[in-house]
Amino acid sequence: MGDDGGGIQWTRISGTGRGQYEVAALMCLCGPVMAGFYVFTGADLLIIGTVFTVVFPPLGLGLWGHTVTERKQNSRLDAVGVPATAEIAGPTDVDRDGETPGVAVGLRVSGPGFRTFETTWHGSNHPGLRVGLRIDAVVDPVDGLFRVDL
């Protein structure tokens, strides 16, 4: 989520990557396939197949729904979004999960038709991320959506 920029709650979306539907489908199918192997071959997969059948389908359906939503938001940005510029205000090294190093990048997004706002992007560190770097962005000032390709 972004910071306040003129009373709008800004939401950053990513360009939906390829393969997300396939990953979601595999998550939904892996448990039943393991259970099927148990039934037809007697392989020792009943417990793990049951656990995967209970846990993975809800996660897969959640990923599927998230992908559908992001694709709709990206389509909206492509249709009505205005070109903008995101300037890196300051990258800061962070621990993402206690073991994986990452970076929190302060972004200042500006363009025509909306007030400049600041937000933070979290991701993997890259040597090209430096203060003052300007990156293309797309903003929908009505719905508060924006996309920055980092």
Side-chain angles (χ1 to χ4, degrees):
M1 295 288 173
D3 299 328
D4 183 30
I8 296 175
Q9 182 64 40
W10 294 98
T11 304
R12 185 184 68 82
I13 62 171
S14 64
T16 303
R18 293 184 177 172
Q20 286 182 301
Y21 287 121
E22 291 82 359
V23 170
L26 285 172
M27 289 176 76
C28 290
L29 294 175
C30 68
V33 167
M34 285 182 189
F37 273 117
Y38 168 77
V39 169
F40 293 112
T41 66
D44 193 18
L45 296 172
L46 179 62
I47 294 173
I48 195 163
T50 303
V51 170
F52 276 38
T53 300
V54 170
V55 173
F56 277 15
L59 293 175
L61 292 173
L63 176 61
W64 190 284
H66 177 73
T67 302
V68 167
T69 301
E70 273 202 345
R71 287 194 180 227
K72 286 179 184 176
Q73 291 171 332
N74 274 301
S75 293
R76 173 142 178 93
L77 275 174
D78 292 340
V80 301
V82 296
T85 302
E87 181 179 349
I88 295 180
T92 306
D93 291 331
V94 295
D95 264 343
R96 292 171 67 180
D97 58 12
E99 295 181 16
T100 308
V103 65
V105 178
L107 298 173
R108 186 175 303 111
V109 183
S110 60
F114 63 94
R115 287 181 51 189
T116 299
F117 64 94
E118 294 185 5
T119 188
T120 304
W121 173 83
H122 293 84
S124 300
N125 200 352
H126 186 277
L129 297 175
R130 63 187 184 286
V131 175
L133 178 66
R134 297 170 80 78
I135 303 164
D136 289 335
V138 179
V139 175
D140 176 2
V142 173
D143 285 347
L145 300 174
F146 71 100
R147 180 178 61 221
V148 177
D149 294 322
L150 286 174

